[in-house]
Amino acid sequence: MTSAAGAAAARSDAGSDAGAAALMSIGEVLSHLRADFPDATISKLRFLEAEGLVQPRRTPAGYRKYSWADVARLRYVLTAQRDHYLPLRVIREQLAALDDDEVPAAGRPALVAVDDPAPPAPEPARLRLSRPELLARTGIAADVLTELERLQLIRPRAGGWYDADAVAAAEAVVELIRFGLEPRHLRAYRAAADREVGLYAQLLTPLARQSDPAARARVAEAVRELAALSQRLHGALIRAGLRDTLGQ
């Protein structure tokens, strides 16, 4: 082998070694994503792979290995779900068009390139607030919270702590009160939510009874999409109804 050929081979081997070193296991990817996406799980990443949204490499032994481009793609998917409430079908179409450079930047979340990795952030704990912490965080009055609990609009979890959904409900009520509404005016929300829960539970119960992780991931994804679609439909009906009522 000539010296030039040997040098080229050495550079090729070094590049291959560097590329292999840059690949990450699914656990390492999860640790990088969890800081921005606390609900991300290994089952969720496997589910997104099964849906064709990301295609990590496989070692001869079958282990997944992700590149930083794969991580950027996962961030795109998770951001589109969280911030834009897009179903996977739409995200898949956007990614396909993005690969062909057909999607206008204004119509999609940015696919951010990932360069040198920062040290993984510690996994955030699931939100668990005491009653005083909930009051301080949301600014809701103690007597209003008591009334909302009586009306079952906010429900503490077993053990008396409050989760992220309780925070979201309390913050929404605080804003509605500023418009002049009172907790008693919000009873219909609980009744409507219970009807939707019953309807959606019928759709998801057969899938939820399956024990494999992929099925659990599909249930979690379906819950998220159904909730987002319900919010969109409810908002559209309210806007249309108010325009008709107010002659707008």
Side-chain angles (χ1 to χ4, degrees), residues 73-205:
R73 198 173 181 90
L74 287 167
R75 286 186 179 279
Y76 180 100
V77 173
L78 296 172
T79 300
Q81 290 182 318
R82 182 192 64 194
D83 298 346
H84 300 267
Y85 305 105
L86 297 180
L88 291 182
R89 173 185 55 79
V90 174
I91 297 172
R92 187 183 296 105
E93 292 171 354
Q94 285 196 354
L95 282 171
L98 179 61
D99 291 338
D100 295 331
D101 199 24
E102 295 176 359
V103 178
R108 55 175 169 80
L111 182 58
V112 180
V114 182
D115 298 316
D116 295 332
E123 180 178 334
R126 183 178 179 182
L127 186 63
R128 297 167 66 103
L129 300 180
S130 66
R131 186 181 181 88
E133 288 171 334
L134 178 68
L135 295 173
R137 178 163 178 161
T138 63
I140 196 167
D143 60 332
V144 173
L145 178 57
T146 298
E147 180 65 6
L148 293 175
E149 290 175 335
R150 187 185 71 81
L151 296 171
Q152 296 289 294
L153 287 165
I154 291 180
R155 296 171 176 171
R157 308 291 291 180
W161 53 273
Y162 298 85
D163 60 14
D165 288 327
V167 172
E171 289 174 341
V173 169
V174 167
E175 295 301 319
L176 287 169
I177 286 175
R178 290 177 181 170
F179 279 91
L181 293 178
E182 298 178 11
R184 60 187 176 85
H185 295 141
L186 306 177
R187 292 175 180 170
Y189 285 90
R190 177 75 267 165
D194 287 342
R195 286 194 295 270
E196 288 189 62
V197 168
L199 175 62
Y200 298 154
Q202 292 179 36
L203 300 175
L204 299 178
T205 295

